[in-house]
Amino acid sequence: MDPEMTLTWLEETTLLGEDATARYFRDQSNAFPEMMRRGKAEGRVLVAIIAVAGFGGAEEANLLYVLEDPASPRLEVIVRPAANPVSVATVFPSASLFEREISDGFGIPFRDAFDTRRLFLHEMYPDGFHPLARSKKTRDAGEGRSAPFGFREI
């Protein structure tokens, strides 16, 4: 199967570049969940969603949606702005874990996410504490606690 023919689901995107392992596409459309549905219908599998700052020289944060096509040796990476992202967990249920991780670490909430629980930050961390966000000043993790945790000496 010709790998070029398998990219019809990415028709609204711009090719940013490619190497031996992946093709990188930029998407800024408003129909992203629908595009992901077409990708899934064509056999794509979501491998990861990664939040990065400064990808490709951009100042704003971006989300990288990494998808695998079983018919191709290269991954397909869709680069989208991280401002106000929409959840794709209804299309790829595994996306929920990636979205929760990004929400915890970077403070980027996903619109229409069905699971907004914390994933790796303990419930004792104050709201607004996002250890991976560098664009905002994060508060000290100990701020807002009523009393320090009482460890037992053994």
Side-chain angles (χ1 to χ4, degrees), residues 77-100:
V77 181
I78 303 169
V79 182
R80 289 189 48 87
N84 199 23
V86 63
S87 175
V88 293
T90 56
V91 180
F92 294 104
S94 63
S96 178
L97 291 173
F98 301 122
E99 292 170 359
R100 289 171 59 199

Side-chain angles (χ1 to χ4, degrees), residues 9 32 36 39-40 43-50 63-70 75-78 87-99 102 110:
W9 71 284
F32 185 63
M36 294 297 270
K40 184 174 183 178
R44 301 311 187 281
V45 177
L46 182 69
V47 175
I49 304 173
I50 305 165
L63 297 175
L64 278 57
Y65 293 80
V66 182
L67 294 111
E68 180 181 32
D69 177 4
L75 297 171
E76 296 165 354
V77 181
I78 303 169
S87 175
V88 293
T90 56
V91 180
F92 294 104
S94 63
S96 178
L97 291 173
F98 301 122
E99 292 170 359
I102 291 167
F110 286 78

Side-chain angles (χ1 to χ4, degrees), residues 47-138:
V47 175
I49 304 173
I50 305 165
V52 293
F55 182 79
E59 287 188 26
E60 72 276 354
N62 286 288
L63 297 175
L64 278 57
Y65 293 80
V66 182
L67 294 111
E68 180 181 32
D69 177 4
S72 173
R74 291 195 277 186
L75 297 171
E76 296 165 354
V77 181
I78 303 169
V79 182
R80 289 189 48 87
N84 199 23
V86 63
S87 175
V88 293
T90 56
V91 180
F92 294 104
S94 63
S96 178
L97 291 173
F98 301 122
E99 292 170 359
R100 289 171 59 199
E101 178 183 33
I102 291 167
S103 293
D104 268 8
F106 292 90
I108 300 170
F110 286 78
R111 272 185 301 131
D112 304 327
F114 62 82
D115 189 355
T116 58
R117 295 174 297 160
R118 289 183 173 183
L119 184 65
F120 67 78
L121 289 181
H122 188 273
E123 63 187 22
M124 291 299 291
Y125 280 96
D127 290 338
F129 177 77
H130 305 289
L132 302 177
R134 69 177 185 178
S135 62
K136 301 178 218 168
K137 183 178 183 285
T138 58

Side-chain angles (χ1 to χ4, degrees), residues 2-34:
D2 180 7
E4 294 301 321
M5 298 304 293
T6 65
L7 299 177
T8 56
W9 71 284
L10 291 170
E11 60 194 22
E12 297 105 15
T13 64
T14 305
L15 181 65
L16 294 174
E18 57 186 307
D19 57 32
T21 61
R23 291 186 176 139
Y24 299 87
F25 300 90
R26 166 128 355 241
D27 176 63
Q28 295 179 322
S29 70
N30 293 326
F32 185 63
E34 182 54 39

